[in-house]
Amino acid sequence: QVQLVESGGGLVQAGGSLRLSCAASGRTFSTSAMGWFRQTPGKERDFVAAISWSGGNIDYADSVKGRFTISRDNAKNTVYLQMNSLKPEDTAVYYCAASYSGIDYAVRDRYAYRYWGQGTQVTVSS
């Protein structure tokens, strides 16, 4: 069992930055790929970024490439999402997710993720 708790969301002006954190409990964190997804009302949950359990493979959605950076610290059981140059269209609830154990690549498919956090709101004002 893995429990995920996101933090770091909030309100920021366009062009600003936020850093999301996702603290994980459970034994499988270090052998699971981790991902960030986001969702706005009435829409599906979209892929944002993912990182393999070793950290050697990373993937980003085209819409955030060059602005967002995903990283992880397996010693702290934490994954981060540094978000720079934020735009109003980045406004969403951001979810952290942990994949099924043993997936050592950055996976985009949300159905590969077994555990989800409760989400944290990010609002970017224009």
Side-chain angles (χ1 to χ4, degrees):
Q1 188 77 10
V2 174
Q3 292 184 322
L4 305 173
V5 179
E6 302 101 333
S7 62
L11 173 64
V12 65
Q13 289 188 332
S17 298
L18 284 174
R19 188 194 196 201
L20 305 184
S21 298
C22 174
S25 63
R27 298 175 58 185
T28 61
F29 176 83
S30 61
T31 60
S32 296
M34 297 297 296
W36 288 96
F37 291 76
R38 65 188 181 186
Q39 189 172 23
T40 55
K43 295 190 176 181
E44 293 191 349
R45 195 166 295 186
D46 291 332
F47 169 75
V48 175
I51 185 168
S52 62
W53 65 260
S54 65
N57 183 234
I58 290 175
D59 192 18
Y60 297 99
D62 288 344
S63 58
V64 307
K65 201 170 293 183
R67 300 188 297 121
F68 291 11
T69 303
I70 189 171
S71 61
R72 67 188 295 165
D73 185 337
N74 287 345
K76 295 182 178 180
N77 279 11
T78 303
V79 63
Y80 305 96
L81 186 68
Q82 177 67 43
M83 306 186 294
N84 298 329
S85 303
L86 283 161
K87 304 175 181 180
E89 51 263 43
D90 294 319
T91 295
V93 177
Y94 284 71
Y95 295 91
C96 168
S99 76
Y100 288 88
S101 181
I103 296 179
D104 191 22
Y105 60 94
V107 58
R108 290 186 170 218
D109 184 356
R110 61 183 180 182
Y111 296 106
Y113 291 88
R114 182 175 184 182
Y115 302 103
W116 294 83
Q118 82 288 351
T120 185
Q121 176 71 46
V122 171
T123 302
V124 184
S125 63
S126 58

Short mmCIF file of all heavy atoms in Angstrom, two decimals, residues 31-83:
data_model
loop_
_atom_site.label_atom_id
_atom_site.label_comp_id
_atom_site.label_asym_id
_atom_site.label_seq_id
_atom_site.Cartn_x
_atom_site.Cartn_y
_atom_site.Cartn_z
N THR A 31 10.53 1.60 -6.17
CA THR A 31 10.46 0.72 -7.34
C THR A 31 9.26 1.05 -8.22
O THR A 31 8.86 0.24 -9.06
CB THR A 31 10.39 -0.76 -6.92
OG1 THR A 31 9.23 -0.95 -6.10
CG2 THR A 31 11.63 -1.17 -6.15
N SER A 32 8.72 2.24 -8.05
CA SER A 32 7.56 2.67 -8.84
C SER A 32 7.91 3.92 -9.63
O SER A 32 8.58 4.82 -9.12
CB SER A 32 6.38 2.98 -7.93
OG SER A 32 5.93 1.84 -7.24
N ALA A 33 7.43 3.96 -10.86
CA ALA A 33 7.47 5.22 -11.58
C ALA A 33 6.50 6.18 -10.91
O ALA A 33 5.50 5.75 -10.32
CB ALA A 33 7.09 5.01 -13.03
N MET A 34 6.79 7.46 -11.00
CA MET A 34 5.93 8.48 -10.41
C MET A 34 5.49 9.45 -11.50
O MET A 34 6.26 9.75 -12.42
CB MET A 34 6.67 9.24 -9.32
CG MET A 34 7.09 8.38 -8.15
SD MET A 34 5.71 7.65 -7.25
CE MET A 34 4.92 9.13 -6.61
N GLY A 35 4.28 9.92 -11.37
CA GLY A 35 3.77 10.84 -12.37
C GLY A 35 2.98 11.97 -11.76
O GLY A 35 2.51 11.88 -10.62
N TRP A 36 2.87 13.03 -12.51
CA TRP A 36 1.98 14.15 -12.18
C TRP A 36 0.95 14.28 -13.30
O TRP A 36 1.30 14.24 -14.49
CB TRP A 36 2.75 15.45 -12.06
CG TRP A 36 3.60 15.56 -10.83
CD1 TRP A 36 4.93 15.29 -10.71
CD2 TRP A 36 3.16 15.98 -9.53
NE1 TRP A 36 5.36 15.50 -9.42
CE2 TRP A 36 4.28 15.94 -8.68
CE3 TRP A 36 1.95 16.40 -8.99
CZ2 TRP A 36 4.23 16.29 -7.33
CZ3 TRP A 36 1.88 16.75 -7.66
CH2 TRP A 36 3.02 16.69 -6.84
N PHE A 37 -0.29 14.44 -12.89
CA PHE A 37 -1.40 14.64 -13.81
C PHE A 37 -2.17 15.87 -13.35
O PHE A 37 -2.02 16.31 -12.21
CB PHE A 37 -2.32 13.41 -13.81
CG PHE A 37 -1.69 12.18 -14.42
CD1 PHE A 37 -0.74 11.45 -13.73
CD2 PHE A 37 -2.05 11.77 -15.69
CE1 PHE A 37 -0.15 10.32 -14.29
CE2 PHE A 37 -1.48 10.64 -16.27
CZ PHE A 37 -0.53 9.92 -15.56
N ARG A 38 -2.99 16.41 -14.22
CA ARG A 38 -3.81 17.55 -13.83
C ARG A 38 -5.20 17.43 -14.45
O ARG A 38 -5.38 16.80 -15.48
CB ARG A 38 -3.15 18.86 -14.20
CG ARG A 38 -2.98 19.11 -15.69
CD ARG A 38 -2.13 20.36 -15.92
NE ARG A 38 -1.96 20.67 -17.33
CZ ARG A 38 -1.18 21.63 -17.80
NH1 ARG A 38 -0.48 22.40 -16.95
NH2 ARG A 38 -1.10 21.85 -19.10
N GLN A 39 -6.14 18.07 -13.77
CA GLN A 39 -7.53 17.95 -14.20
C GLN A 39 -8.26 19.24 -13.92
O GLN A 39 -8.11 19.84 -12.85
CB GLN A 39 -8.20 16.79 -13.46
CG GLN A 39 -9.58 16.43 -13.96
CD GLN A 39 -10.10 15.15 -13.31
OE1 GLN A 39 -9.67 14.76 -12.24
NE2 GLN A 39 -11.03 14.47 -14.00
N THR A 40 -9.06 19.66 -14.89
CA THR A 40 -9.96 20.79 -14.74
C THR A 40 -11.39 20.27 -14.77
O THR A 40 -11.65 19.19 -15.29
CB THR A 40 -9.73 21.84 -15.83
OG1 THR A 40 -9.86 21.20 -17.12
CG2 THR A 40 -8.36 22.46 -15.71
N PRO A 41 -12.33 21.03 -14.22
CA PRO A 41 -13.72 20.55 -14.14
C PRO A 41 -14.28 20.14 -15.50
O PRO A 41 -14.15 20.88 -16.48
CB PRO A 41 -14.47 21.75 -13.56
CG PRO A 41 -13.44 22.46 -12.75
CD PRO A 41 -12.17 22.32 -13.53
N GLY A 42 -14.89 18.97 -15.54
CA GLY A 42 -15.53 18.49 -16.74
C GLY A 42 -14.60 17.88 -17.76
O GLY A 42 -15.05 17.46 -18.84
N LYS A 43 -13.31 17.82 -17.44
CA LYS A 43 -12.35 17.26 -18.39
C LYS A 43 -11.64 16.06 -17.79
O LYS A 43 -11.64 15.85 -16.58
CB LYS A 43 -11.34 18.33 -18.81
CG LYS A 43 -11.96 19.48 -19.59
CD LYS A 43 -10.91 20.38 -20.18
CE LYS A 43 -11.54 21.46 -21.04
NZ LYS A 43 -10.54 22.36 -21.66
N GLU A 44 -11.00 15.28 -18.66
CA GLU A 44 -10.25 14.12 -18.20
C GLU A 44 -8.96 14.55 -17.51
O GLU A 44 -8.47 15.66 -17.71
CB GLU A 44 -9.94 13.20 -19.38
CG GLU A 44 -11.16 12.54 -19.98
CD GLU A 44 -10.80 11.45 -20.97
OE1 GLU A 44 -9.62 11.34 -21.32
OE2 GLU A 44 -11.70 10.71 -21.37
N ARG A 45 -8.43 13.62 -16.74
CA ARG A 45 -7.16 13.86 -16.06
C ARG A 45 -6.04 13.68 -17.09
O ARG A 45 -5.89 12.61 -17.69
CB ARG A 45 -7.00 12.87 -14.90
CG ARG A 45 -5.94 13.23 -13.93
CD ARG A 45 -6.08 12.40 -12.66
NE ARG A 45 -7.32 12.71 -11.94
CZ ARG A 45 -7.60 12.19 -10.75
NH1 ARG A 45 -6.75 11.36 -10.15
NH2 ARG A 45 -8.75 12.50 -10.16
N ASP A 46 -5.25 14.71 -17.26
CA ASP A 46 -4.22 14.72 -18.30
C ASP A 46 -2.83 14.51 -17.73
O ASP A 46 -2.50 15.01 -16.66
CB ASP A 46 -4.23 16.05 -19.06
CG ASP A 46 -5.47 16.23 -19.91
OD1 ASP A 46 -6.05 15.21 -20.34
OD2 ASP A 46 -5.86 17.38 -20.13
N PHE A 47 -2.03 13.84 -18.50
CA PHE A 47 -0.62 13.62 -18.15
C PHE A 47 0.14 14.94 -18.17
O PHE A 47 -0.05 15.77 -19.07
CB PHE A 47 -0.01 12.65 -19.14
CG PHE A 47 1.49 12.54 -19.07
CD1 PHE A 47 2.09 11.84 -18.04
CD2 PHE A 47 2.29 13.17 -20.01
CE1 PHE A 47 3.47 11.74 -17.97
CE2 PHE A 47 3.67 13.07 -19.95
CZ PHE A 47 4.26 12.35 -18.92
N VAL A 48 1.02 15.13 -17.18
CA VAL A 48 1.88 16.30 -17.13
C VAL A 48 3.35 15.90 -17.22
O VAL A 48 4.09 16.38 -18.08
CB VAL A 48 1.65 17.10 -15.83
CG1 VAL A 48 2.64 18.26 -15.73
CG2 VAL A 48 0.21 17.62 -15.76
N ALA A 49 3.77 15.00 -16.33
CA ALA A 49 5.17 14.60 -16.30
C ALA A 49 5.30 13.27 -15.58
O ALA A 49 4.45 12.93 -14.77
CB ALA A 49 6.03 15.65 -15.60
N ALA A 50 6.36 12.53 -15.91
CA ALA A 50 6.59 11.26 -15.25
C ALA A 50 8.08 11.01 -15.14
O ALA A 50 8.88 11.53 -15.94
CB ALA A 50 5.93 10.11 -16.01
N ILE A 51 8.45 10.19 -14.14
CA ILE A 51 9.85 9.87 -13.92
C ILE A 51 9.93 8.40 -13.51
O ILE A 51 9.12 7.91 -12.73
CB ILE A 51 10.45 10.80 -12.85
CG1 ILE A 51 11.95 10.56 -12.68
CG2 ILE A 51 9.72 10.68 -11.51
CD1 ILE A 51 12.64 11.66 -11.85
N SER A 52 10.92 7.70 -14.06
CA SER A 52 11.10 6.29 -13.72
C SER A 52 11.57 6.15 -12.28
O SER A 52 12.01 7.12 -11.65
CB SER A 52 12.13 5.67 -14.66
OG SER A 52 13.38 6.32 -14.50
N TRP A 53 11.51 4.92 -11.75
CA TRP A 53 11.88 4.76 -10.35
C TRP A 53 13.36 5.04 -10.12
O TRP A 53 13.77 5.47 -9.05
CB TRP A 53 11.49 3.38 -9.80
CG TRP A 53 12.17 2.19 -10.39
CD1 TRP A 53 11.65 1.35 -11.33
CD2 TRP A 53 13.45 1.65 -10.06
NE1 TRP A 53 12.53 0.35 -11.62
CE2 TRP A 53 13.65 0.50 -10.84
CE3 TRP A 53 14.46 2.03 -9.17
CZ2 TRP A 53 14.80 -0.28 -10.76
CZ3 TRP A 53 15.62 1.25 -9.09
CH2 TRP A 53 15.77 0.12 -9.89
N SER A 54 14.19 4.83 -11.14
CA SER A 54 15.60 5.11 -11.00
C SER A 54 15.93 6.58 -11.27
O SER A 54 17.04 7.04 -11.00
CB SER A 54 16.40 4.24 -11.96
OG SER A 54 16.10 4.59 -13.30
N GLY A 55 14.97 7.31 -11.84
CA GLY A 55 15.20 8.71 -12.19
C GLY A 55 15.88 8.90 -13.53
O GLY A 55 16.08 10.03 -13.98
N GLY A 56 16.19 7.80 -14.20
CA GLY A 56 16.94 7.91 -15.45
C GLY A 56 16.10 8.16 -16.68
O GLY A 56 16.65 8.46 -17.75
N ASN A 57 14.82 8.05 -16.55
CA ASN A 57 13.92 8.26 -17.69
C ASN A 57 12.83 9.24 -17.27
O ASN A 57 12.17 9.03 -16.25
CB ASN A 57 13.31 6.94 -18.13
CG ASN A 57 12.43 7.07 -19.35
OD1 ASN A 57 11.27 6.66 -19.36
ND2 ASN A 57 12.96 7.66 -20.41
N ILE A 58 12.67 10.31 -18.04
CA ILE A 58 11.72 11.38 -17.72
C ILE A 58 10.96 11.73 -18.98
O ILE A 58 11.51 11.71 -20.09
CB ILE A 58 12.46 12.61 -17.16
CG1 ILE A 58 13.02 12.32 -15.76
CG2 ILE A 58 11.55 13.82 -17.12
CD1 ILE A 58 13.87 13.43 -15.18
N ASP A 59 9.71 12.08 -18.80
CA ASP A 59 8.87 12.47 -19.94
C ASP A 59 7.96 13.61 -19.52
O ASP A 59 7.56 13.70 -18.34
CB ASP A 59 8.04 11.26 -20.41
CG ASP A 59 7.37 11.50 -21.75
OD1 ASP A 59 7.79 12.42 -22.49
OD2 ASP A 59 6.43 10.75 -22.07
N TYR A 60 7.65 14.48 -20.47
CA TYR A 60 6.78 15.62 -20.21
C TYR A 60 5.73 15.75 -21.31
O TYR A 60 5.98 15.42 -22.47
CB TYR A 60 7.59 16.93 -20.19
CG TYR A 60 8.62 17.03 -19.10
CD1 TYR A 60 9.95 16.77 -19.36
CD2 TYR A 60 8.26 17.41 -17.81
CE1 TYR A 60 10.91 16.86 -18.36
CE2 TYR A 60 9.20 17.51 -16.80
CZ TYR A 60 10.53 17.23 -17.09
OH TYR A 60 11.47 17.33 -16.09
N ALA A 61 4.60 16.27 -20.94
CA ALA A 61 3.62 16.67 -21.94
C ALA A 61 4.19 17.84 -22.72
O ALA A 61 4.94 18.67 -22.18
CB ALA A 61 2.31 17.08 -21.27
N ASP A 62 3.85 17.92 -23.98
CA ASP A 62 4.37 19.00 -24.82
C ASP A 62 4.03 20.37 -24.25
O ASP A 62 4.81 21.32 -24.37
CB ASP A 62 3.81 18.88 -26.24
CG ASP A 62 4.42 17.72 -27.00
OD1 ASP A 62 5.47 17.19 -26.56
OD2 ASP A 62 3.85 17.33 -28.03
N SER A 63 2.87 20.48 -23.62
CA SER A 63 2.41 21.78 -23.13
C SER A 63 3.24 22.32 -21.97
O SER A 63 3.17 23.52 -21.67
CB SER A 63 0.94 21.67 -22.69
OG SER A 63 0.80 20.69 -21.68
N VAL A 64 4.01 21.47 -21.31
CA VAL A 64 4.80 21.93 -20.16
C VAL A 64 6.30 21.77 -20.38
O VAL A 64 7.10 22.22 -19.54
CB VAL A 64 4.40 21.19 -18.87
CG1 VAL A 64 2.90 21.28 -18.64
CG2 VAL A 64 4.85 19.73 -18.90
N LYS A 65 6.68 21.17 -21.49
CA LYS A 65 8.10 20.93 -21.75
C LYS A 65 8.86 22.25 -21.79
O LYS A 65 8.43 23.22 -22.42
CB LYS A 65 8.24 20.18 -23.07
CG LYS A 65 9.54 19.44 -23.25
CD LYS A 65 9.47 18.54 -24.49
CE LYS A 65 8.48 17.42 -24.31
NZ LYS A 65 8.46 16.49 -25.47
N GLY A 66 9.98 22.28 -21.08
CA GLY A 66 10.79 23.50 -21.01
C GLY A 66 10.40 24.42 -19.88
O GLY A 66 11.14 25.36 -19.57
N ARG A 67 9.25 24.19 -19.26
CA ARG A 67 8.79 25.03 -18.15
C ARG A 67 8.71 24.26 -16.83
O ARG A 67 8.95 24.83 -15.77
CB ARG A 67 7.41 25.61 -18.47
CG ARG A 67 7.36 26.46 -19.72
CD ARG A 67 6.01 27.16 -19.87
NE ARG A 67 4.90 26.21 -20.03
CZ ARG A 67 3.85 26.15 -19.21
NH1 ARG A 67 3.77 26.96 -18.17
NH2 ARG A 67 2.88 25.28 -19.44
N PHE A 68 8.36 22.99 -16.91
CA PHE A 68 8.22 22.16 -15.71
C PHE A 68 9.38 21.18 -15.62
O PHE A 68 9.89 20.70 -16.64
CB PHE A 68 6.92 21.37 -15.76
CG PHE A 68 5.65 22.18 -15.62
CD1 PHE A 68 5.66 23.57 -15.67
CD2 PHE A 68 4.43 21.54 -15.41
CE1 PHE A 68 4.50 24.31 -15.54
CE2 PHE A 68 3.26 22.26 -15.27
CZ PHE A 68 3.30 23.65 -15.34
N THR A 69 9.74 20.85 -14.38
CA THR A 69 10.78 19.85 -14.13
C THR A 69 10.34 18.89 -13.05
O THR A 69 9.98 19.33 -11.96
CB THR A 69 12.10 20.53 -13.70
OG1 THR A 69 12.51 21.46 -14.70
CG2 THR A 69 13.19 19.49 -13.50
N ILE A 70 10.37 17.62 -13.37
CA ILE A 70 10.03 16.59 -12.39
C ILE A 70 11.33 15.99 -11.83
O ILE A 70 12.32 15.84 -12.57
CB ILE A 70 9.15 15.48 -13.00
CG1 ILE A 70 8.62 14.53 -11.92
CG2 ILE A 70 9.87 14.74 -14.12
CD1 ILE A 70 7.57 13.55 -12.42
N SER A 71 11.32 15.69 -10.55
CA SER A 71 12.48 15.06 -9.92
C SER A 71 12.00 14.22 -8.76
O SER A 71 10.84 14.33 -8.34
CB SER A 71 13.49 16.10 -9.45
OG SER A 71 12.91 16.96 -8.48
N ARG A 72 12.86 13.38 -8.25
CA ARG A 72 12.48 12.54 -7.11
C ARG A 72 13.69 12.34 -6.22
O ARG A 72 14.84 12.35 -6.68
CB ARG A 72 11.93 11.20 -7.58
CG ARG A 72 12.89 10.29 -8.27
CD ARG A 72 12.16 9.08 -8.86
NE ARG A 72 11.59 8.23 -7.81
CZ ARG A 72 10.67 7.30 -8.06
NH1 ARG A 72 10.20 7.10 -9.28
NH2 ARG A 72 10.20 6.57 -7.05
N ASP A 73 13.39 12.14 -4.95
CA ASP A 73 14.41 11.82 -3.95
C ASP A 73 13.94 10.54 -3.26
O ASP A 73 13.07 10.58 -2.39
CB ASP A 73 14.54 12.97 -2.95
CG ASP A 73 15.66 12.77 -1.96
OD1 ASP A 73 16.06 11.61 -1.73
OD2 ASP A 73 16.13 13.75 -1.39
N ASN A 74 14.50 9.42 -3.68
CA ASN A 74 14.05 8.14 -3.13
C ASN A 74 14.39 7.99 -1.65
O ASN A 74 13.72 7.26 -0.92
CB ASN A 74 14.64 6.98 -3.93
CG ASN A 74 13.99 6.83 -5.29
OD1 ASN A 74 12.92 7.40 -5.54
ND2 ASN A 74 14.62 6.09 -6.18
N ALA A 75 15.42 8.67 -1.19
CA ALA A 75 15.77 8.62 0.23
C ALA A 75 14.70 9.30 1.08
O ALA A 75 14.51 8.94 2.25
CB ALA A 75 17.12 9.28 0.47
N LYS A 76 14.01 10.27 0.49
CA LYS A 76 12.96 11.00 1.21
C LYS A 76 11.56 10.56 0.79
O LYS A 76 10.57 11.13 1.24
CB LYS A 76 13.11 12.50 0.98
CG LYS A 76 14.39 13.09 1.55
CD LYS A 76 14.45 14.60 1.34
CE LYS A 76 15.70 15.19 1.96
NZ LYS A 76 15.77 16.67 1.76
N ASN A 77 11.49 9.59 -0.12
CA ASN A 77 10.18 9.13 -0.62
C ASN A 77 9.34 10.30 -1.13
O ASN A 77 8.14 10.39 -0.84
CB ASN A 77 9.42 8.38 0.47
CG ASN A 77 9.88 6.94 0.60
OD1 ASN A 77 10.90 6.54 0.02
ND2 ASN A 77 9.16 6.15 1.36
N THR A 78 9.96 11.16 -1.88
CA THR A 78 9.28 12.37 -2.34
C THR A 78 9.56 12.62 -3.82
O THR A 78 10.68 12.42 -4.29
CB THR A 78 9.72 13.60 -1.52
OG1 THR A 78 9.46 13.35 -0.13
CG2 THR A 78 8.96 14.85 -1.94
N VAL A 79 8.52 13.06 -4.51
CA VAL A 79 8.67 13.48 -5.90
C VAL A 79 8.24 14.94 -5.99
O VAL A 79 7.36 15.39 -5.24
CB VAL A 79 7.84 12.58 -6.84
CG1 VAL A 79 6.36 12.69 -6.56
CG2 VAL A 79 8.14 12.90 -8.30
N TYR A 80 8.90 15.68 -6.87
CA TYR A 80 8.67 17.11 -6.97
C TYR A 80 8.26 17.48 -8.40
O TYR A 80 8.60 16.80 -9.36
CB TYR A 80 9.94 17.88 -6.62
CG TYR A 80 10.52 17.54 -5.27
CD1 TYR A 80 11.55 16.59 -5.15
CD2 TYR A 80 10.04 18.14 -4.12
CE1 TYR A 80 12.08 16.28 -3.91
CE2 TYR A 80 10.57 17.82 -2.87
CZ TYR A 80 11.58 16.89 -2.77
OH TYR A 80 12.10 16.57 -1.55
N LEU A 81 7.56 18.59 -8.49
CA LEU A 81 7.27 19.18 -9.79
C LEU A 81 7.53 20.68 -9.68
O LEU A 81 6.76 21.41 -9.05
CB LEU A 81 5.83 18.92 -10.23
CG LEU A 81 5.50 19.40 -11.64
CD1 LEU A 81 6.25 18.56 -12.68
CD2 LEU A 81 4.00 19.35 -11.90
N GLN A 82 8.65 21.11 -10.26
CA GLN A 82 8.97 22.53 -10.30
C GLN A 82 8.29 23.13 -11.52
O GLN A 82 8.54 22.68 -12.64
CB GLN A 82 10.48 22.73 -10.38
CG GLN A 82 10.91 24.18 -10.50
CD GLN A 82 10.60 24.98 -9.24
OE1 GLN A 82 10.81 24.52 -8.13
NE2 GLN A 82 10.08 26.19 -9.43
N MET A 83 7.45 24.12 -11.30
CA MET A 83 6.67 24.73 -12.37
C MET A 83 7.07 26.19 -12.52
O MET A 83 6.87 26.99 -11.60
CB MET A 83 5.18 24.61 -12.09
CG MET A 83 4.73 23.19 -11.81
SD MET A 83 2.95 23.04 -11.63
CE MET A 83 2.69 23.99 -10.14
#
